[in-house]
Amino acid sequence: MSKNLVIVESPAKAKTIEGYLGKDFVVKSSYGHVRDLPKSDVAINVEKNFEPVYEITADKIEVVKELKRLAQKAEVVWLATDEDREGEAISWHLQEALELPTSKTKRIVFSEITKKAILNAIDRPRLLDIDLVNAQQARRVLDRLVGFELSPVLWKKVRPSLSAGRVQSVAVRIIVEREREIQNFASQAFYNVRANFDLGSAVLKAESAKRLSESKNAQDFLAKCIGAKFHIKGIETKPAKRTPAAPFTTSTLQQEAGRKLGFSVSRTMSVAQRLYESGKITYMRTDSVNLSDFAKDAIKSEINNSFGEKYSKPRQYTTKSKGAQEAHEAIRPTEMANHQVEGERDEVRLYELIWKRTIASQMADAELEKTTATIGISTTDEVLQAKGEVIKFDGFLKVYIESTDDEETEDGGSGMLPPLTVGQDLSLMEMIATQRFTQKPARYSEASLVKRLEELGIGRPSTYAPTISTIQNREYVDKRDKEGVPRGFEIFTLKNDKISREEKSENTGAEKSKLFPTDIGIVVNDFLVDQFPNILDYGFTAKVEGEFDEIAEGKLQWQEMLKRFYKPFHINVAETLESAQRATGERELGVDPTTGKNVIARIGRFGPMIQIGASDDEEKKFASLRPDQSIGNITLEQALKLFDLPRNLGEYEGKPIIVNVGRFGPYAKHGNTFASLKVKEGDDPYTIEFERAKQLVVEKIASVAAALIQSFPEREDVQVVNGRFGAYIKVGRDNYKIPKDKDPKTITLQEIEKIMEENPPKPARGGRGSKAPAKKAAAKKAAPKKAPAKKAAKKAPKK
């Protein structure tokens, strides 16, 4: 048996490290955390100084059993999980779960998975850093307390099955507030004046130095230029330079991969994780821009070899983010000589981005020359300007140009100006005044939301991706494209001393992969901001992050931090449960002309809806909003149209085909067959015709028939069918596995009934649409209960 057991958190990482160590080492994976807080209110013993009660998760029982067996036979156990707080906590949980004695346990860390880094770590082991563990525990316990106490409030006051979180709710607030900025934005028209001058062998392009606010001003300016003479009034040339951006941190990598590669935040982190675990880049969760001396020497050598010494300029960057975590390196390739790597397309593209950014960070400034020519007009004191920019030395631009989040940029005059002299007369070809409009604030993309969270000091490298995924998974935020709408604008042109007017149309407001708050997201946000202003306050959330940093540095005791937070928060929860009004986002749209009853848009049990009639009206009617509609801006006419459903399109084989919209979208119903409408292909429940609906029904019947293996006339609710993962038994809405020793084609009804008897369906738990848990949880005291003594957590070892 091997003398040394090395435990890491992922199989890919284990495979890479095993190749660097000799036969005396065996490397195994814990597959992430092996212990966690149970999903119940006994997880945290508030009365006993917030003592957490951990349990080995069900999917890790066999993993722990195997690791414990190997650990008992090994002379030394090396805990080699990631070097951040989460990694330190995984190592601590492993030591506790495997009951490892300190005498045979060593902790090693490394920022890259290379042979040199691994062997160096083996030579320099350390003890577990309990301060880092406590920082992670504090975050985990605090987030559990907030989630477990806020969620029942939402179940009672807004809608069942909702959830809230300390960081996720603040992220939703950022998106909701931006949406309101956009809705309240009043676009203002203005006019840009541009002119083209004929220089014989070239055309000089110039523009007015200021915007004109009204159509009349634009026409008056052009009128003044009729018959005018133009000349070069002055030329100013200034040297300029551009400096490269720092190497990537987690947030800047997420932002740039989003802008340049179109990656989501979670996709970026998934690809970066694979690159790290295969030894190609350094650790990908970091807020440091520091590069090691070894890395800088390697980068300098690569720049000198590939581009020449004049392109090299070693730099030392300083981390600016608030409360930066442990002193990691920036994200960089482990081997700078490898300009590219083999692998999946995403890995190749992300690695190339990281390599270019790293190399560019140690390259010389780009040297530019900016020229501004001022053009005088004989008939007015107004002037025009022509601007040009020339790159005298490309420096780092030879490799990399950083992207920005700016949606639209005005052409500031790039490229070289033709030769000009002061006093030179110019011949006007044409002058154009174009109507433009001020731009509303841009909706957040995933990348720009990460940037905003970092600016506010909310979250850390390990939390950005899960936060953004969570708010989308819980349907508080929707990432989608938005089609533009036509907008007219006017153009005035001065040519040959005559002014003409032209009207044109452009598409405006189109957006791609932007974050939109949903109706339920807006209602939940408004309720939480009103009832829990501290929890939703940006400054307060950033302060909590700062306290986690102090715990990690050993400057703050973690239970004391929780105690200060929890007492006022718990009182706030109790008062809200007792006295707060229900939040529905209700909006009155007008009166239904047919019934004379009020029409209301609000949040219902299953989402945004329209209601005709008062709450106590026994004959009130309901209709769900379409996916592209919102209770915030739906009109009375649009709302009433929703009640056109269900539509009976006609009969097929003696049964009507009825089109309607259900909880899972629009569908066509024929008897007991439900066929989903293909919205992406243009199907609309309000306009779909009989033949198209029949086609969908026929296709659905055929697919169901193809999946059916057996049916039983004596029990019509029992079927044996083929599913995505193989054959299974379907009984009404319940599904059952088929034992391996049974053939799906020959299994009998009696055998199926025995399987049903031995495996009764589980009652609904507190998931989406479950009624009982929501009422029960709302009635309970929100604080976690005192934990049983036998489950008390083991205390952390002293540092």
Side-chain angles (χ1 to χ4, degrees), residues 276-298:
Y276 166 67
E277 291 177 346
S278 59
K280 292 167 185 170
I281 64 169
T282 54
Y283 191 53
M284 66 287 160
R285 292 188 185 93
T286 175
D287 36 20
S288 171
V289 292
N290 183 51
L291 293 171
S292 66
D293 291 338
F294 169 79
K296 285 192 281 190
D297 289 343

PDB file of all heavy atoms in Angstrom, residues 276-298:
ATOM      1  N   TYR A 276      -7.272  24.789 -15.534  1.00  0.00           N
ATOM      2  CA  TYR A 276      -6.475  24.740 -14.305  1.00  0.00           C
ATOM      3  C   TYR A 276      -6.170  23.300 -13.919  1.00  0.00           C
ATOM      4  O   TYR A 276      -5.022  22.937 -13.610  1.00  0.00           O
ATOM      5  CB  TYR A 276      -7.230  25.450 -13.178  1.00  0.00           C
ATOM      6  CG  TYR A 276      -6.674  25.172 -11.801  1.00  0.00           C
ATOM      7  CD1 TYR A 276      -5.411  25.635 -11.423  1.00  0.00           C
ATOM      8  CD2 TYR A 276      -7.411  24.436 -10.862  1.00  0.00           C
ATOM      9  CE1 TYR A 276      -4.893  25.370 -10.160  1.00  0.00           C
ATOM     10  CE2 TYR A 276      -6.911  24.173  -9.601  1.00  0.00           C
ATOM     11  CZ  TYR A 276      -5.646  24.629  -9.260  1.00  0.00           C
ATOM     12  OH  TYR A 276      -5.140  24.357  -8.011  1.00  0.00           O
ATOM     13  N   GLU A 277      -7.201  22.455 -13.937  1.00  0.00           N
ATOM     14  CA  GLU A 277      -7.023  21.076 -13.482  1.00  0.00           C
ATOM     15  C   GLU A 277      -6.139  20.251 -14.417  1.00  0.00           C
ATOM     16  O   GLU A 277      -5.587  19.235 -14.001  1.00  0.00           O
ATOM     17  CB  GLU A 277      -8.396  20.412 -13.296  1.00  0.00           C
ATOM     18  CG  GLU A 277      -9.168  21.000 -12.120  1.00  0.00           C
ATOM     19  CD  GLU A 277     -10.549  20.413 -11.957  1.00  0.00           C
ATOM     20  OE1 GLU A 277     -11.026  19.747 -12.912  1.00  0.00           O
ATOM     21  OE2 GLU A 277     -11.168  20.612 -10.896  1.00  0.00           O
ATOM     22  N   SER A 278      -6.025  20.706 -15.661  1.00  0.00           N
ATOM     23  CA  SER A 278      -5.124  20.008 -16.593  1.00  0.00           C
ATOM     24  C   SER A 278      -3.739  20.641 -16.603  1.00  0.00           C
ATOM     25  O   SER A 278      -2.894  20.289 -17.433  1.00  0.00           O
ATOM     26  CB  SER A 278      -5.717  20.009 -18.004  1.00  0.00           C
ATOM     27  OG  SER A 278      -5.934  21.336 -18.457  1.00  0.00           O
ATOM     28  N   GLY A 279      -3.494  21.594 -15.690  1.00  0.00           N
ATOM     29  CA  GLY A 279      -2.155  22.158 -15.530  1.00  0.00           C
ATOM     30  C   GLY A 279      -1.781  23.238 -16.523  1.00  0.00           C
ATOM     31  O   GLY A 279      -0.605  23.568 -16.669  1.00  0.00           O
ATOM     32  N   LYS A 280      -2.778  23.844 -17.186  1.00  0.00           N
ATOM     33  CA  LYS A 280      -2.466  24.815 -18.241  1.00  0.00           C
ATOM     34  C   LYS A 280      -2.483  26.266 -17.762  1.00  0.00           C
ATOM     35  O   LYS A 280      -1.818  27.117 -18.347  1.00  0.00           O
ATOM     36  CB  LYS A 280      -3.455  24.632 -19.404  1.00  0.00           C
ATOM     37  CG  LYS A 280      -3.241  23.294 -20.124  1.00  0.00           C
ATOM     38  CD  LYS A 280      -4.399  22.957 -21.049  1.00  0.00           C
ATOM     39  CE  LYS A 280      -4.196  21.565 -21.656  1.00  0.00           C
ATOM     40  NZ  LYS A 280      -5.394  21.101 -22.376  1.00  0.00           N
ATOM     41  N   ILE A 281      -3.272  26.561 -16.733  1.00  0.00           N
ATOM     42  CA  ILE A 281      -3.297  27.924 -16.181  1.00  0.00           C
ATOM     43  C   ILE A 281      -3.225  27.841 -14.661  1.00  0.00           C
ATOM     44  O   ILE A 281      -3.430  26.770 -14.069  1.00  0.00           O
ATOM     45  CB  ILE A 281      -4.572  28.707 -16.590  1.00  0.00           C
ATOM     46  CG1 ILE A 281      -5.835  28.046 -16.007  1.00  0.00           C
ATOM     47  CG2 ILE A 281      -4.665  28.854 -18.100  1.00  0.00           C
ATOM     48  CD1 ILE A 281      -7.103  28.884 -16.132  1.00  0.00           C
ATOM     49  N   THR A 282      -2.963  28.983 -14.031  1.00  0.00           N
ATOM     50  CA  THR A 282      -2.951  29.042 -12.575  1.00  0.00           C
ATOM     51  C   THR A 282      -4.383  29.076 -12.052  1.00  0.00           C
ATOM     52  O   THR A 282      -5.345  29.142 -12.825  1.00  0.00           O
ATOM     53  CB  THR A 282      -2.186  30.297 -12.094  1.00  0.00           C
ATOM     54  OG1 THR A 282      -2.747  31.451 -12.720  1.00  0.00           O
ATOM     55  CG2 THR A 282      -0.709  30.204 -12.436  1.00  0.00           C
ATOM     56  N   TYR A 283      -4.513  29.076 -10.717  1.00  0.00           N
ATOM     57  CA  TYR A 283      -5.823  28.987 -10.070  1.00  0.00           C
ATOM     58  C   TYR A 283      -6.733  30.126 -10.522  1.00  0.00           C
ATOM     59  O   TYR A 283      -6.314  31.278 -10.601  1.00  0.00           O
ATOM     60  CB  TYR A 283      -5.652  29.031  -8.545  1.00  0.00           C
ATOM     61  CG  TYR A 283      -6.904  28.690  -7.795  1.00  0.00           C
ATOM     62  CD1 TYR A 283      -7.599  27.516  -8.064  1.00  0.00           C
ATOM     63  CD2 TYR A 283      -7.400  29.544  -6.814  1.00  0.00           C
ATOM     64  CE1 TYR A 283      -8.745  27.197  -7.376  1.00  0.00           C
ATOM     65  CE2 TYR A 283      -8.557  29.227  -6.108  1.00  0.00           C
ATOM     66  CZ  TYR A 283      -9.228  28.053  -6.401  1.00  0.00           C
ATOM     67  OH  TYR A 283     -10.375  27.740  -5.719  1.00  0.00           O
ATOM     68  N   MET A 284      -7.989  29.757 -10.830  1.00  0.00           N
ATOM     69  CA  MET A 284      -8.867  30.700 -11.531  1.00  0.00           C
ATOM     70  C   MET A 284      -9.811  31.484 -10.612  1.00  0.00           C
ATOM     71  O   MET A 284     -10.607  32.283 -11.097  1.00  0.00           O
ATOM     72  CB  MET A 284      -9.685  29.973 -12.606  1.00  0.00           C
ATOM     73  CG  MET A 284     -10.694  28.969 -12.080  1.00  0.00           C
ATOM     74  SD  MET A 284      -9.922  27.493 -11.446  1.00  0.00           S
ATOM     75  CE  MET A 284     -11.204  26.860 -10.421  1.00  0.00           C
ATOM     76  N   ARG A 285      -9.727  31.280  -9.293  1.00  0.00           N
ATOM     77  CA  ARG A 285     -10.534  32.105  -8.375  1.00  0.00           C
ATOM     78  C   ARG A 285      -9.595  32.997  -7.578  1.00  0.00           C
ATOM     79  O   ARG A 285      -9.025  32.575  -6.576  1.00  0.00           O
ATOM     80  CB  ARG A 285     -11.382  31.232  -7.449  1.00  0.00           C
ATOM     81  CG  ARG A 285     -12.476  30.474  -8.189  1.00  0.00           C
ATOM     82  CD  ARG A 285     -13.424  29.758  -7.248  1.00  0.00           C
ATOM     83  NE  ARG A 285     -14.364  28.957  -8.011  1.00  0.00           N
ATOM     84  CZ  ARG A 285     -14.188  27.672  -8.317  1.00  0.00           C
ATOM     85  NH1 ARG A 285     -13.093  27.054  -7.909  1.00  0.00           N
ATOM     86  NH2 ARG A 285     -15.091  27.015  -9.014  1.00  0.00           N
ATOM     87  N   THR A 286      -9.412  34.207  -8.026  1.00  0.00           N
ATOM     88  CA  THR A 286      -8.452  35.114  -7.411  1.00  0.00           C
ATOM     89  C   THR A 286      -8.846  36.555  -7.677  1.00  0.00           C
ATOM     90  O   THR A 286      -9.429  36.854  -8.725  1.00  0.00           O
ATOM     91  CB  THR A 286      -7.031  34.857  -7.954  1.00  0.00           C
ATOM     92  OG1 THR A 286      -6.132  35.823  -7.428  1.00  0.00           O
ATOM     93  CG2 THR A 286      -6.994  34.943  -9.477  1.00  0.00           C
ATOM     94  N   ASP A 287      -8.553  37.446  -6.726  1.00  0.00           N
ATOM     95  CA  ASP A 287      -8.733  38.870  -7.007  1.00  0.00           C
ATOM     96  C   ASP A 287      -7.388  39.587  -6.971  1.00  0.00           C
ATOM     97  O   ASP A 287      -7.317  40.794  -6.775  1.00  0.00           O
ATOM     98  CB  ASP A 287      -9.736  39.528  -6.047  1.00  0.00           C
ATOM     99  CG  ASP A 287      -9.677  38.982  -4.640  1.00  0.00           C
ATOM    100  OD1 ASP A 287      -8.645  38.387  -4.274  1.00  0.00           O
ATOM    101  OD2 ASP A 287     -10.660  39.137  -3.898  1.00  0.00           O
ATOM    102  N   SER A 288      -6.320  38.847  -7.191  1.00  0.00           N
ATOM    103  CA  SER A 288      -4.976  39.425  -7.230  1.00  0.00           C
ATOM    104  C   SER A 288      -4.538  39.646  -8.669  1.00  0.00           C
ATOM    105  O   SER A 288      -4.838  38.841  -9.556  1.00  0.00           O
ATOM    106  CB  SER A 288      -3.982  38.486  -6.533  1.00  0.00           C
ATOM    107  OG  SER A 288      -2.654  38.915  -6.732  1.00  0.00           O
ATOM    108  N   VAL A 289      -3.805  40.760  -8.903  1.00  0.00           N
ATOM    109  CA  VAL A 289      -3.221  41.017 -10.229  1.00  0.00           C
ATOM    110  C   VAL A 289      -1.704  40.817 -10.186  1.00  0.00           C
ATOM    111  O   VAL A 289      -0.994  41.184 -11.114  1.00  0.00           O
ATOM    112  CB  VAL A 289      -3.547  42.445 -10.722  1.00  0.00           C
ATOM    113  CG1 VAL A 289      -5.024  42.581 -11.025  1.00  0.00           C
ATOM    114  CG2 VAL A 289      -3.120  43.497  -9.696  1.00  0.00           C
ATOM    115  N   ASN A 290      -1.226  40.225  -9.105  1.00  0.00           N
ATOM    116  CA  ASN A 290       0.206  40.018  -8.914  1.00  0.00           C
ATOM    117  C   ASN A 290       0.720  38.859  -9.771  1.00  0.00           C
ATOM    118  O   ASN A 290       0.023  37.870  -9.980  1.00  0.00           O
ATOM    119  CB  ASN A 290       0.478  39.728  -7.431  1.00  0.00           C
ATOM    120  CG  ASN A 290       1.956  39.568  -7.146  1.00  0.00           C
ATOM    121  OD1 ASN A 290       2.754  40.415  -7.535  1.00  0.00           O
ATOM    122  ND2 ASN A 290       2.330  38.483  -6.480  1.00  0.00           N
ATOM    123  N   LEU A 291       1.943  39.001 -10.273  1.00  0.00           N
ATOM    124  CA  LEU A 291       2.640  37.920 -10.974  1.00  0.00           C
ATOM    125  C   LEU A 291       3.909  37.598 -10.203  1.00  0.00           C
ATOM    126  O   LEU A 291       4.604  38.495  -9.727  1.00  0.00           O
ATOM    127  CB  LEU A 291       2.994  38.331 -12.409  1.00  0.00           C
ATOM    128  CG  LEU A 291       1.825  38.552 -13.370  1.00  0.00           C
ATOM    129  CD1 LEU A 291       2.327  39.159 -14.673  1.00  0.00           C
ATOM    130  CD2 LEU A 291       1.089  37.241 -13.659  1.00  0.00           C
ATOM    131  N   SER A 292       4.223  36.320 -10.089  1.00  0.00           N
ATOM    132  CA  SER A 292       5.440  35.925  -9.387  1.00  0.00           C
ATOM    133  C   SER A 292       6.671  36.355 -10.188  1.00  0.00           C
ATOM    134  O   SER A 292       6.599  36.584 -11.406  1.00  0.00           O
ATOM    135  CB  SER A 292       5.469  34.406  -9.184  1.00  0.00           C
ATOM    136  OG  SER A 292       5.581  33.752 -10.436  1.00  0.00           O
ATOM    137  N   ASP A 293       7.810  36.450  -9.513  1.00  0.00           N
ATOM    138  CA  ASP A 293       9.063  36.803 -10.195  1.00  0.00           C
ATOM    139  C   ASP A 293       9.385  35.766 -11.263  1.00  0.00           C
ATOM    140  O   ASP A 293       9.856  36.105 -12.354  1.00  0.00           O
ATOM    141  CB  ASP A 293      10.213  36.904  -9.185  1.00  0.00           C
ATOM    142  CG  ASP A 293      10.049  38.104  -8.259  1.00  0.00           C
ATOM    143  OD1 ASP A 293       9.324  39.049  -8.639  1.00  0.00           O
ATOM    144  OD2 ASP A 293      10.638  38.087  -7.163  1.00  0.00           O
ATOM    145  N   PHE A 294       9.129  34.499 -10.947  1.00  0.00           N
ATOM    146  CA  PHE A 294       9.371  33.420 -11.921  1.00  0.00           C
ATOM    147  C   PHE A 294       8.530  33.643 -13.183  1.00  0.00           C
ATOM    148  O   PHE A 294       9.024  33.519 -14.310  1.00  0.00           O
ATOM    149  CB  PHE A 294       9.022  32.072 -11.284  1.00  0.00           C
ATOM    150  CG  PHE A 294       8.978  30.935 -12.259  1.00  0.00           C
ATOM    151  CD1 PHE A 294      10.152  30.328 -12.713  1.00  0.00           C
ATOM    152  CD2 PHE A 294       7.758  30.463 -12.745  1.00  0.00           C
ATOM    153  CE1 PHE A 294      10.096  29.287 -13.629  1.00  0.00           C
ATOM    154  CE2 PHE A 294       7.706  29.426 -13.660  1.00  0.00           C
ATOM    155  CZ  PHE A 294       8.884  28.830 -14.104  1.00  0.00           C
ATOM    156  N   ALA A 295       7.233  34.004 -12.980  1.00  0.00           N
ATOM    157  CA  ALA A 295       6.343  34.225 -14.126  1.00  0.00           C
ATOM    158  C   ALA A 295       6.802  35.428 -14.938  1.00  0.00           C
ATOM    159  O   ALA A 295       6.832  35.391 -16.174  1.00  0.00           O
ATOM    160  CB  ALA A 295       4.908  34.429 -13.647  1.00  0.00           C
ATOM    161  N   LYS A 296       7.188  36.506 -14.261  1.00  0.00           N
ATOM    162  CA  LYS A 296       7.615  37.715 -14.983  1.00  0.00           C
ATOM    163  C   LYS A 296       8.883  37.458 -15.795  1.00  0.00           C
ATOM    164  O   LYS A 296       9.023  37.969 -16.914  1.00  0.00           O
ATOM    165  CB  LYS A 296       7.820  38.864 -13.997  1.00  0.00           C
ATOM    166  CG  LYS A 296       6.501  39.458 -13.506  1.00  0.00           C
ATOM    167  CD  LYS A 296       6.679  40.764 -12.763  1.00  0.00           C
ATOM    168  CE  LYS A 296       7.141  40.536 -11.355  1.00  0.00           C
ATOM    169  NZ  LYS A 296       7.101  41.765 -10.540  1.00  0.00           N
ATOM    170  N   ASP A 297       9.798  36.646 -15.254  1.00  0.00           N
ATOM    171  CA  ASP A 297      11.008  36.306 -16.010  1.00  0.00           C
ATOM    172  C   ASP A 297      10.654  35.503 -17.257  1.00  0.00           C
ATOM    173  O   ASP A 297      11.200  35.739 -18.339  1.00  0.00           O
ATOM    174  CB  ASP A 297      11.968  35.503 -15.125  1.00  0.00           C
ATOM    175  CG  ASP A 297      12.607  36.361 -14.033  1.00  0.00           C
ATOM    176  OD1 ASP A 297      12.560  37.604 -14.165  1.00  0.00           O
ATOM    177  OD2 ASP A 297      13.145  35.788 -13.063  1.00  0.00           O
ATOM    178  N   ALA A 298       9.712  34.563 -17.106  1.00  0.00           N
ATOM    179  CA  ALA A 298       9.299  33.736 -18.242  1.00  0.00           C
ATOM    180  C   ALA A 298       8.592  34.575 -19.304  1.00  0.00           C
ATOM    181  O   ALA A 298       8.793  34.395 -20.510  1.00  0.00           O
ATOM    182  CB  ALA A 298       8.377  32.616 -17.760  1.00  0.00           C
TER     183      ALA A 298
END
